[in-house]
Amino acid sequence: MSVVNRDQDQESDQPRPQPRLGRQASWFEGEDEAQAERGGLFVGVVVDRALDAVLTYRAPQRLVASIQLGQRVRVPLGRNGVVTGYCVSVDLLPPEDLPPSKIKDVVEILDAVPLIDARMLELTRWMAGYYMCSWGQALDAVVPAGVRNQAGTRVGTFLVVRPEARQAFDDETLQKTLTAKQTAAIEALCRSDELLTVSDVCRRAKCGAGVIKTLRDDGLIHTVKRRLSLAASRNDEPAAGEPTAAPKPPPAMTPEQAAAMAALTPALDGDAFAPFVIFGVTGSGKTEVYLTAIERTVARGREAIVLVPEISLTPQTIRRFRRRFRRVAVLHSHLSDVERHRHWQSIAQGEIDVVVGARSAIFAPTRRLGLIVVDEEHESTFKQETVPRYHARDVAVKRAQLENTPVLLGSATPSLETWRNAELGRYARISMPSRVEGRPMPAVEIIDLRNEKHLTGGLSETLRLAMHQALDDDGQVILLLNRRGYNTFVICPKCGQVVKCRHCDVAATYHKNRHMLICHTCDAERACPPACPSCQAPVLHYGGIGTERLEREIRMEFPFHESRRMDSDTMRRHGSHEVTLAAFKSGDVKILLGTQMIAKGLDFPNVTLVGVVDADVALHLPDFRAAERTFQLVAQVAGRTGRGNRPGRVLVQSFCPEHPAIANAARHDYEGFVRYELPTREAPLASPYGRIVRLVARGKDEARVEKYLNELAKTLRAKAPPGVRFWGPSPTPILKIREEFRFHLQIRCASAAPLRTMLRDLPLHPPPNKVDLAVDVDPISML
DNA sequence: CCTGATTCCTTT
DNA sequence: AAGGAATCAGGT
Ligand SMILES: [Zn+2]
Ligand SMILES: [Zn+2]
C-alpha cells in the first residue's frame, strides 16, 4: 500500500496558516460587511453543467489553506443543491460587479492534489471558446472518469500518536501511566515508519482493539484519513508475454530520415512552438523519425505525447515504442477506470517519458512536455463527435503553442487543411518521398467494373485471376471492402422500396450469420420480413455485397486456402484482432479480407496482392470530403504491399476509374490529387478555404425541429457580417436517427472571426422544448 | 377555480 | 442542465 495523496485530515492538529488578506472593505456595507468580514478567499468555479459562466464562491477559513487551482470542489448551486465544479481562479477579492450577499461558500474540496494545472486550465478554456461548449464540458473531456472518482483507491483510517504523548513516551514518563499492552501499542506506532491501521497495531502489539479504543479515549492517539492506492503493483505493464527488451540500437538512417532529423533538431532542442508536417509516403520510415525525435526529447528530460488513431494502436505499434523506451504509457479506449487512473497518476508523477494513445491522450498530464507527435494526422477519428467536439490534431497544435514545444503532424496523405497550412508557411514541411531501401511503390492497376462481364460476389474475373496467381506463387492476399454485413440492402422488386430500420431513415443491412436485418446507424435488429413492408409483395430481393458475402465468395473460390474476415463483427471479442493478425503473419492464413481496420499500419512482407473490392463506397456520399476520404483510403491500402523483398501488386475495382481521387491514388500522386481537389473547395468556401460551423437541430417532432432551425437561420442571417454564407437549413442526409428528425445549417466564412462574433449570442436563441441543438465547429461528419 | 402541461428563469 | 415558478389550456 502506498499513500498516493493527502486527503482531508480528520483530526489533524497541524496549525492552519492564516490567510493574509489585504482587506479593502471600503465598499462593503451593512450586512454585506458582516459577510465580508468572515474572511476567506474568492474562487472562480466552473460547474460540470452546460452552464456557460464562471461562478464566484467564497472559500471559508477552514478551506483557505488548502484551496488550489485545478481542484474540484462541491458548491451549492441555485435550487439544485450541491454540485461539483472545478476551481479555475483564486482571488483575494470578489468581482466588483457582484453583490457580496450572493456569494455562497465552498462546501468541500474533493481533491487534495489538483487534477489539472494552470496550462491545462488555459487549454480547456480555449477549447470552450473555440468549440463553443462550456468550460465545464471541456474540463470533463480532459479528466477521465476513472480519475474523477479516484478508481482503484480507497480511504483508509490510520492511527497517529499525538505529539505530546510521543514526547512523554520518548521521555519514558508516559510508560508509568500505561498498562503493558498499551505501552506495546504506543511503541508499535512510534517505531513504525509507515502509517498503521487499527489491525496493524493489534497485530504488532499483540493486543485487542479495546486497548486502542482506551488510548484514543484518553487522547493519546488520534485517527487520520488517507487515500490509498489499492494495488501498489504496476505489473499490468508491459503486456503479458512481451519481454521488456533492452532498448535496441536504432537502425542506420536513410538520407531522407537524416535530413528530416536535421530539420527537426533545432526545434527539439529549443523551447519554442514549432509545428511541422512530415509528408512521407507509406514505407518511407516516418515512424523511425518520430522515435529518434522522441529519443532526443526524452534525453533532455522532457516527455513526449504520441497520438495514433485507435485502429493503429496495434500490438505491433506498441511493441515498437516499448523496444525503444523504458517508461511508456499506452492509453487505449479499452482501459478500465482503474488502469486509466493509474496511468494518469504515473504520468503526472513524472514516471513516464512517452505517452502513446488515441484521441484523448492529447490531455495526458505530463509535467515537462517536450514534443507532440500526431501520426496519421488526416484521420477523421481524431475528431470527437460528442461534446466537446474537438479535433485532437488541432488541440495538439494549440497545446504545443501554449507549452512552447514542437509538434509533428505526420501522414502519407495529409488533410487538405494541414497541407494548406504548410503551403502558407504556418507549418514547416518535411518531405520524405521515397521508401526505405529504395523499394519501389507498388504498381496499382484499376479494374474498370463497367467493362467486367462477370461480377459475382463482388469479384471481377481480373481480380480472381490475380488472386489465383498470387496464391499459386505462395504469396498472401489482402482484400478491402469497407462495408460490413452480407447484403447491404433489401429491396422490393415490385414497389422499389428498400427495407429500412424501424427507427432510422436508413436501409437495413442483412447479416446472414444472425439471419437478421441490422441498422448500422443505431444497431437495431429486425427479423427478415416475409413480405414487402410497404406493398406486401411476397418476394424481396437481397442485393449489395458486404464483407460477410465476400467471405463466402472467397471460401467457394479458394476452398484450399485459409481465409479470415476482419471487421467489427468478427473482431467483437477483445484480442481477436491480435489472433487474426498473428495467423496472417505466420502464413497460416493466406487471404485476409475486411473493412478499413485491415488498412492501418500493418506490415506484412509476404503480401503480394492487395485488392480494393469497391473503391467507390465513400465517393458518392453527400460530403465535400468524399473524394479526399476515397483518395486517402485507396492510397493507404496501396501502401500495404511490396514492403518485403517481393514486389507487390494492387488492384482497385471501380466504376469511375478516371475520377481524380481514384486515378491519383493509383499513381501514388498525392500532390496530383491536391491540385484537383483544392480548387473545388475554394468557391463554396469549403475547408480549408472556409471555416465552417454546422448547427444540427434534432427532435421527435419533425415540423418543430424544422421550424426552429428555419427561424434561427433567419435571425442569424439578419445579423450576418459580410462574407458569411449560409448552406441550408436542410434535412440532414440521414433525416431520422433513433426516431429523431434532424435538420442542419452550415455557416461558412473565409475567416473565423465573423463566425465567432455572429454566433457569440447563439445562447439567446435556444431551441424549444424537446428540440436539441448541436454546434459543430470544423465539422468532419456531415451526416 | 382547479389540474396538468409547458415555458421561462435562475444559478455566484 | 435542472429544478422551481409562472403561465396557459381546457374542463368542471
Ligand atoms: Zn413493395
Ligand atoms: Zn436504426
Side-chain angles (χ1 to χ4, degrees):
Chain A
M1 275 197 184
S2 66
V3 176
V4 294
N5 64 41
R6 310 188 50 229
D7 231 18
Q8 59 278 18
D9 290 2
Q10 263 204 337
E11 298 169 27
S12 167
D13 16 31
Q14 284 169 0
R16 296 260 183 230
Q18 292 301 307
R20 54 284 151 241
L21 284 188
R23 174 98 308 154
Q24 303 163 12
S26 55
W27 39 264
F28 289 109
E29 283 170 34
E31 60 176 332
D32 288 344
E33 197 164 317
Q35 170 94 10
E37 283 311 319
R38 286 192 285 128
L41 290 175
F42 295 93
V43 299
V45 173
V46 160
V47 295
D48 60 358
R49 303 277 166 96
L51 214 166
D52 213 19
V54 179
L55 306 177
T56 305
Y57 289 86
R58 201 185 63 104
Q61 285 301 341
R62 78 192 149 85
L63 299 179
V64 156
S66 37
I67 189 81
Q68 284 178 72
L69 233 54
Q71 283 168 327
R72 284 170 317 148
V73 290
R74 301 274 296 160
V75 291
L77 180 68
R79 299 174 272 258
N80 300 323
V82 177
V83 300
T84 301
Y86 288 84
C87 169
V88 300
S89 66
V90 180
D91 288 296
L92 290 172
L93 295 171
E96 292 193 23
D97 49 351
L98 184 66
S101 58
K102 298 192 91 173
I103 301 177
K104 297 181 189 168
D105 278 6
V106 174
V107 173
E108 182 191 1
I109 296 172
L110 286 180
D111 316 302
V113 174
L115 290 185
I116 46 179
D117 60 16
R119 284 166 305 182
M120 214 42 101
L121 281 176
E122 200 174 342
L123 184 67
T124 48
R125 198 182 51 182
W126 171 81
M127 284 172 66
Y130 187 89
Y131 292 106
M132 299 191 193
C133 64
S134 75
W135 197 350
Q137 288 170 319
L139 282 163
D140 273 348
V142 167
V143 183
V147 176
R148 280 196 297 253
N149 58 34
Q150 311 247 48
T153 69
R154 63 177 179 82
V155 175
T157 307
F158 298 93
L159 300 172
V160 177
V161 181
R162 288 197 187 275
E164 318 83 77
R166 190 180 185 122
Q167 187 61 51
F169 182 80
D170 289 346
D171 299 345
E172 300 192 3
T173 53
L174 182 65
Q175 281 82 334
K176 284 172 260 170
T177 67
L178 298 177
T179 68
K181 292 271 180 187
Q182 286 171 338
T183 307
I186 298 277
E187 188 174 2
L189 278 165
C190 290
R191 280 227 305 254
S192 171
D193 293 332
E194 47 182 9
L195 290 169
L196 299 179
T197 64
V198 174
S199 63
D200 289 337
V201 176
C202 292
R203 208 175 326 109
R204 293 185 189 199
K206 300 190 177 63
C207 66
V211 173
I212 290 165
K213 181 164 189 319
T214 314
L215 289 170
R216 257 173 88 177
D217 293 345
D218 291 349
L220 295 173
I221 61 179
H222 67 115
T223 61
V224 133
K225 302 238 181 208
R226 289 283 192 277
R227 190 168 278 276
L228 306 167
S229 72
L230 271 186
S233 62
R234 221 172 257 109
N235 49 15
D236 51 331
E237 304 275 355
E242 201 61 65
T244 349
K248 245 181 25 186
M253 287 204 147
T254 67
E256 278 179 11
Q257 287 171 329
M261 276 313 296
L264 291 173
T265 300
L268 294 170
D269 294 347
D271 287 291
F273 171 57
F276 291 89
V277 181
I278 301 191
F279 170 45
V281 299
T282 47
S284 62
K286 286 190 293 294
T287 311
E288 186 50 42
V289 173
Y290 304 153
L291 292 169
T292 312
I294 296 165
E295 249 163 16
R296 207 168 172 102
T297 304
V298 171
R300 66 190 285 236
R302 304 289 199 92
E303 293 124 15
I305 296 177
V306 185
L307 256 39
V308 164
E310 180 81 32
I311 21 169
S312 302
L313 216 41
T314 59
Q316 233 177 54
T317 312
I318 296 167
R319 210 172 300 134
R320 226 167 149 184
F321 282 93
R322 287 209 193 288
R323 281 212 191 109
R324 206 64 168 265
F325 304 100
R326 221 165 35 79
R327 310 198 302 168
V328 179
V330 179
L331 306 177
H332 51 81
S333 64
H334 294 298
L335 290 179
S336 70
D337 277 4
V338 175
E339 292 169 313
R340 205 172 281 281
H341 182 210
R342 207 163 287 154
H343 277 134
W344 174 283
Q345 290 291 353
S346 24
I347 295 167
Q349 234 86 145
E351 297 164 9
I352 295 295
D353 296 321
V354 185
V355 179
V356 185
R359 188 169 54 221
S360 62
I362 192 53
F363 302 121
T366 53
R367 286 181 161 185
R368 306 165 313 276
L369 187 61
L371 173 67
I372 306 177
V373 176
V374 184
D375 192 25
E376 313 263 21
E377 161 283 326
H378 63 278
E379 267 295 319
S380 57
T381 51
F382 284 129
K383 169 85 172 173
Q384 181 154 71
E385 293 293 355
T386 55
V387 178
R389 300 172 189 274
Y390 68 93
H391 198 299
R393 176 240 293 143
D394 299 333
V395 175
V397 172
K398 187 66 192 179
R399 184 165 180 192
Q401 201 179 69
L402 290 174
E403 306 215 18
N404 299 310
T405 68
V407 53
L408 272 46
L409 310 180
S411 178
T413 55
S415 66
L416 294 193
E417 290 81 359
T418 295
W419 185 257
R420 182 121 198 285
N421 279 329
E423 295 277 276
L424 293 175
R426 293 182 192 142
Y427 300 169
R429 180 166 45 209
I430 296 172
S431 292
M432 301 175 63
S434 35
R435 291 185 141 190
V436 295
E437 292 172 27
R439 290 180 191 133
M441 292 299 284
V444 179
E445 304 149 54
I446 305 179
I447 302 171
D448 188 342
L449 292 179
R450 292 170 302 190
N451 303 332
E452 291 282 329
K453 283 283 169 289
H454 305 287
L455 197 62
T456 32
L459 296 180
S460 63
E461 276 310 309
T462 317
L463 182 51
R464 262 172 228 267
L465 203 67
M467 288 179 71
H468 278 292
Q469 278 171 5
L471 294 168
D472 290 347
D473 290 347
D474 210 31
Q476 287 174 293
V477 177
I478 291 179
L479 286 185
L480 173 90
L481 177 59
N482 213 1
R483 253 179 340 213
R484 294 186 291 126
Y486 194 87
N487 290 116
T488 53
F489 60 87
V490 181
I491 194 169
C492 169
K494 201 160 165 209
C495 71
Q497 289 287 311
V498 170
V499 179
K500 290 187 172 175
C501 168
R502 281 204 177 79
H503 315 288
C504 309
D505 184 35
V506 167
T509 302
Y510 174 55
H511 284 245
K512 187 168 192 160
N513 60 335
R514 313 182 57 187
H515 193 61
M516 281 279 194
L517 297 184
I518 297 178
C519 171
H520 285 185
T521 299
C522 77
D523 294 323
E525 302 174 353
R526 65 181 288 178
C528 299
C532 171
S534 315
C535 77
Q536 317 310 320
V539 183
L540 291 167
H541 171 72
Y542 286 66
I545 287 155
T547 46
E548 202 185 353
R549 172 77 181 80
L550 180 67
E551 179 182 34
R552 197 183 82 122
E553 191 65 25
I554 300 296
R555 292 254 158 91
M556 280 165 30
E557 179 84 25
F558 306 95
F560 304 114
H561 289 99
E562 198 63 33
S563 60
R564 203 74 105 238
R565 168 162 63 104
M566 212 165 105
D567 55 28
S568 49
D569 295 316
T570 58
M571 297 295 116
R572 196 137 288 178
R573 280 187 312 114
H574 196 58
S576 45
H577 197 260
E578 204 169 323
V579 172
T580 304
L581 291 178
F584 191 60
K585 184 140 203 170
S586 73
D588 295 345
V589 169
K590 297 295 181 193
I591 307 170
L592 183 66
L593 67 111
T595 53
Q596 58 189 340
M597 65 171 70
I598 64 171
K600 284 284 167 263
L602 311 169
D603 206 344
F604 301 109
N606 202 33
V607 171
T608 54
L609 174 66
V610 170
V612 179
V613 176
D614 185 354
D616 309 338
V617 169
L619 193 53
H620 306 300
L621 294 176
D623 183 328
F624 69 85
R625 275 186 266 252
E628 186 179 357
R629 278 202 266 270
T630 300
F631 174 85
Q632 286 165 351
L633 187 63
V634 176
Q636 296 273 334
V637 176
R640 290 282 78 85
T641 177
R643 297 198 131 200
N645 296 322
R646 309 175 65 171
R649 207 179 158 197
V650 180
L651 293 183
V652 176
Q653 299 193 139
S654 170
F655 280 101
C656 19
E658 58 286 315
H659 192 288
I662 289 165
N664 283 298
R667 286 197 298 271
H668 306 288
D669 188 0
Y670 172 80
E671 294 184 60
F673 172 71
V674 171
R675 277 194 297 276
Y676 155 79
E677 179 70 10
L678 264 183
T680 69
R681 306 274 182 98
E682 193 156 8
L685 283 182
S687 185
Y689 292 98
R691 309 301 296 266
I692 306 176
V693 177
R694 181 174 177 251
L695 306 181
V696 188
R698 60 182 169 84
K700 290 193 172 149
D701 184 341
E702 182 176 3
R704 212 174 149 91
V705 175
E706 188 174 18
K707 180 164 169 273
Y708 164 67
L709 200 58
N710 280 335
E711 283 167 5
L712 181 62
K714 202 185 283 175
T715 51
L716 290 177
R717 271 201 172 97
K719 61 176 174 185
V724 172
R725 281 168 53 189
F726 288 72
W727 290 56
S730 59
T732 55
I734 303 176
L735 174 63
K736 189 177 73 165
I737 295 178
R738 282 178 240 262
E739 302 294 355
E740 290 190 314
F741 294 88
R742 302 142 39 85
F743 288 79
H744 67 171
L745 169 65
Q746 282 185 42
I747 313 172
R748 300 183 180 182
C749 184
S751 55
L755 287 178
R756 180 128 317 121
T757 49
M758 189 180 79
L759 293 170
R760 208 177 30 212
D761 42 22
L762 192 63
L764 298 180
H765 313 284
N769 212 356
K770 297 195 174 156
V771 177
D772 271 319
L773 180 70
V775 182
D776 195 352
V777 178
D778 303 339
I780 294 290
S781 167
M782 301 294 176
L783 296 181

